[in-house]
């Protein structure tokens, strides 16, 4: 007791310090973003975009002056009811895609679900498109427009006012959305999604045949607004097709 | 008063003791399950599955460690408005189907309705499919898909992402749902429902021609999720049929 | 001041005494009925039955042991928004159709609207059908089924489970609803409505060509339930017609 | 300090005094009108008229005894989500169209949006039609009825009860709504809108091809009621067209 034992030296990795710092800076925004994901999930469920646990919403935490590599990403777990999510149910990922924190065990005592199967697709969109939010919708019309022309790899529509709601488009622009083929699991879509984004740099959406659509924007407001415009245009295309009218 | 009279001996049957015990164990879960049936009934009414008092929802009380034969089942009364139910309005049945408790007289002062006409069908599904919940929907599209091919005893659809939401199915699996013929009363459907379940062990739903559909799952979440997927697929089939597209 | 002046004698008519008595007896029920009319009006507005101030709901006050001739009837004013009614906005009529009390001036300071134009039609239904409630809907499908066969004076449908929801009908019964021709004002429909009710004693509804439908029941629950079934069947008929299927 | 300095004389323009006076008189009504615009915007969003930030609602402040030239007009900012507006988010314009007050900076810290692009169109309707409210809807059916007969400059419908809901129309009147061609920006529609209003003095609506519709009324209730009737009639026309029926 008269000789003090040599203190054990812990080496705290620099990245842990850094993460802790950025978490503290963004904790309020993170809380709000989680709440917003659960609120938007319910709203989009009611629009028919997220039924049967299908589809998903992801948002990047937007805190002023946080370097891009330190921005957190919020995602839903896989296979959960989108009309009944709580802010605490969310996964938090680092901007590079590693899981920063899973939902607490108390939300899922028996069987904590893994992060959404869309994670690799969402991360690809964040990376390639500098997106602030991505919406994956199973809306029936989004599914059906890929089946009207089953041999075409593009959905095209023009001369509709709502095209003005899509980023970078005016009323006289034709809207072209690439269609990729579906695959038995979401991760198998990564390659074709990547190719479609590269091939259609003007597009803020990629349709997946017999499945749905991925839509993104700089902010959640932009993603949501564009998602409403895309779904309006898909619905219009189906109706016009039924009426035998060109579009 | 100085001679104590011989105490009268009541024989309390063993099963009464047992029921009282299990009721006490499960009373909280029972209360929550009743509330959930009334909440889901309103939600499904808004989706158009339970209009005109048609259709019904039933849930098994899921209390950890309760032996299967002691699990209670909650069902709605017959012919009541599904958008206006209270938790107290419910019937509680034993797992073997005998009525454990009817709704209290105060809910229905004049004319206490009997238990749902679907009870024998629900009990058959609980028994044969080890279900935790059953949804009987009158959704219009569920009705119409049985009429498109009025001579077929099966609804078939494939190559739709939402098929993945049906238990035991991947994207490349064809979904096959048996169709049974309607009858003037629900109890006359028991035999054909039994046969359909036996004939289609992979299916978690049975369509009833010109009527609707029975859908079940291990838990209420599974039943609800699958019900959303089935209704999406029924709607898709009607639309594709109208558009002259194969499915 | 020392001689008391002769008291003036007012003759209070017997019917005023009687009305005052019955009003007191039914005042609670009357209050609840007014609230229910405004609640149901909003619900039916959301279903698309009462848009553009069109359509209307009327209920009879159901107080136990009140003689039929003393039962009050609640009706909405004419031309008001059905999604924004208050219980105080209602007219109260005697069972014979005379206005017992209009909505208070504070609800309509400038321009107190008259009682619904449907009043003579509603009163006719109350009188002839012993109804407890009548719903007049402008639901689009109700309008369209009268136009599919513009030369027929009947809407017919059979082999649909939802027919069981219509009073007096089983699954094997054909549902027949008379269609009367529209007129420029509601009061001009009284004669043809009367004739249709007489000609179709089994029906609890009369369709009005290019206009909508009147539906009634013994109680508000029966009227609402049947209204949901009728609208389901109208929607089904339109869809089946579009699909080229018999009904 | 012992000699009082000559007071500086400010010339306060008479119109500032006047505006301040009328603002004080109408401040309560203005507050209510802002709240009503945000409430109606949400309601119309849910009806599908204002999705994707498209469409807009504007109301005139109705204060008794305020001279027409001193009535304020409330408008939404441009490109904002119509399901998420607060009363404070609104622009207030003078009756001549100059901006009286923009939304406070705290509502839009970074990027205060300009007043709705529809402002010049709304002001034209206020001026020419003595309107109390104008609704610009992107409802899909409003868009589609302009495309069914792409060569016609009029939408016509008759023999529908709901025509009675349009100001100045009875059941036997044909409803004629002018259609103007769309343009890449709203301000380029002013001339053709003006011409259409002049050419169709009986109409309370102008359709814009592949875009939507402008609807107005003396009061917000009249504008809303008529908007519901117009959208009903547009939906009916699309359905009747699909069914091959005349209208």
């Amino acid at each position: 007791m008269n000789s003090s034992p040599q203190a054990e030296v812990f080496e705290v990795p620099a990245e842990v310090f850094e993460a802790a710092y950025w978490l503290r800076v963004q904790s309020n925004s993170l809380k709000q973003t989680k709440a917003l994901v659960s609120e938007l999930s319910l709203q989009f469920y009611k629009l028919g975009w997220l039924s049967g646990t299908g589809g998903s919403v992801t948002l990047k935490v937007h805190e002023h002056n946080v370097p891009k590599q330190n921005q957190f990403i919020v995602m839903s777990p896989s296979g959960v009811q989108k009309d009944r999510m709580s802010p605490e149910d969310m996964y938090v990922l680092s901007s590079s895609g590693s899981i920063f924190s899973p939902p607490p065990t108390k939300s899922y005592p028996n069987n904590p679900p893994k992060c959404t199967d869309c994670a690799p697709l969402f991360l690809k969109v964040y990376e390639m498109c500098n997106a602030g939010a991505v919406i994956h919708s199973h809306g029936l019309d989004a599914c059906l427009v890929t089946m009207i022309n089953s041999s075409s790899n593009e959905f095209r529509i023009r001369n509709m006012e709502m095209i003005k709601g899509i980023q970078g488009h005016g009323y006289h622009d034709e809207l072209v959305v690439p269609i990729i083929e579906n695959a038995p699991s979401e991760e198998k879509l990564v390659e074709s999604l990547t190719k479609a984004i590269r091939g259609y740099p003007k597009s803020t959406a990629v349709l997946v045949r017999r499945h749905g659509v991925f839509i993104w924007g700089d902010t959640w407001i932009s993603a949501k607004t564009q998602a409403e415009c895309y779904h309006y245009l898909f619905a219009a295309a189906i109706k016009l097709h039924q009426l035998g009218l060109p579009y």
Side-chain angles (χ1 to χ4, degrees), chain A:
Chain A
M1 256 178 119
N2 56 347
S3 74
S4 65
Q6 207 191 339
E8 203 181 341
V9 176
F10 292 103
E11 281 204 43
V12 182
E15 59 267 35
V16 169
F17 273 120
E18 201 183 324
Y21 172 77
W22 288 114
L23 182 61
R24 196 158 56 85
V25 167
Q26 299 179 77
S27 69
N28 258 338
S29 302
L30 184 56
K31 217 170 142 183
Q32 287 164 19
T33 305
K34 284 174 169 188
L36 192 52
V37 170
S38 89
E39 182 189 339
L40 292 173
S41 294
L42 176 57
Q43 185 173 355
F44 298 161
Y45 171 89
K46 287 183 181 167
L47 293 172
W49 301 354
L50 304 181
S51 70
T53 79
S56 190
V57 179
T58 174
L59 263 60
K60 202 173 248 187
V61 179
H62 280 276
E63 180 74 51
H64 204 54
N65 286 332
V66 172
K68 207 183 145 183
Q69 71 273 21
N70 296 110
Q71 289 172 342
F72 289 112
I73 291 169
V74 175
M75 292 189 190
S76 320
S78 171
V80 296
Q81 300 180 84
K82 298 307 188 301
D83 50 330
R84 289 168 184 261
M85 301 189 74
S86 306
E88 314 85 58
D89 297 347
M90 306 294 165
Y91 274 89
V92 181
L93 286 79
S94 74
S95 68
S96 64
S98 54
I99 290 172
F100 188 83
S101 71
T105 336
K106 75 173 169 66
S107 295
Y108 305 103
N110 303 314
N111 198 14
K114 61 185 192 324
C115 190
T116 172
D117 296 323
C118 295
L121 298 161
F122 287 158
L123 290 168
K124 190 52 83 180
V125 175
Y126 278 122
E127 176 201 322
M128 294 180 74
C129 310
N130 200 20
V134 192
I135 297 166
H136 172 41
S137 159
H138 280 199
L140 184 51
D141 289 328
C143 186
L144 292 176
V145 290
T146 68
M147 300 172 75
I148 290 176
N149 290 304
S150 56
S151 58
S152 168
N153 294 321
E154 293 173 344
F155 167 78
R156 287 173 176 266
I157 192 165
R158 51 183 185 162
N159 294 328
M160 295 287 284
E161 173 69 11
M162 288 292 266
I163 292 173
K164 281 168 68 178
I166 306 300
Q167 187 185 298
H169 288 74
Y171 174 61
H172 285 314
D173 293 317
E174 184 176 32
L175 178 72
V176 185
V177 184
I179 303 174
I180 62 175
E181 300 305 315
N182 199 22
S185 69
E186 321 280 302
E187 81 214 25
K188 296 210 170 131
L189 295 172
V190 176
E191 196 183 315
S192 53
L193 183 86
T194 307
K195 236 165 119 180
I197 293 173
R198 223 173 263 140
Y200 295 81
K202 209 185 159 186
S203 184
T204 52
V206 173
L207 284 156
V208 185
R209 183 113 51 214
R210 300 169 175 280
H211 181 154
V213 66
F214 288 84
I215 297 163
W216 58 90
D218 298 340
T219 61
W220 69 268
I221 294 179
S222 166
K224 171 176 174 283
T225 297
Q226 292 189 67
E228 289 171 4
C229 294
Y230 278 115
H231 283 85
Y232 180 102
L233 293 164
F234 298 151
I238 298 291
K239 281 268 192 179
L240 291 167
H241 184 90
Q242 275 186 303
L243 293 162
L245 298 172
Y247 60 90

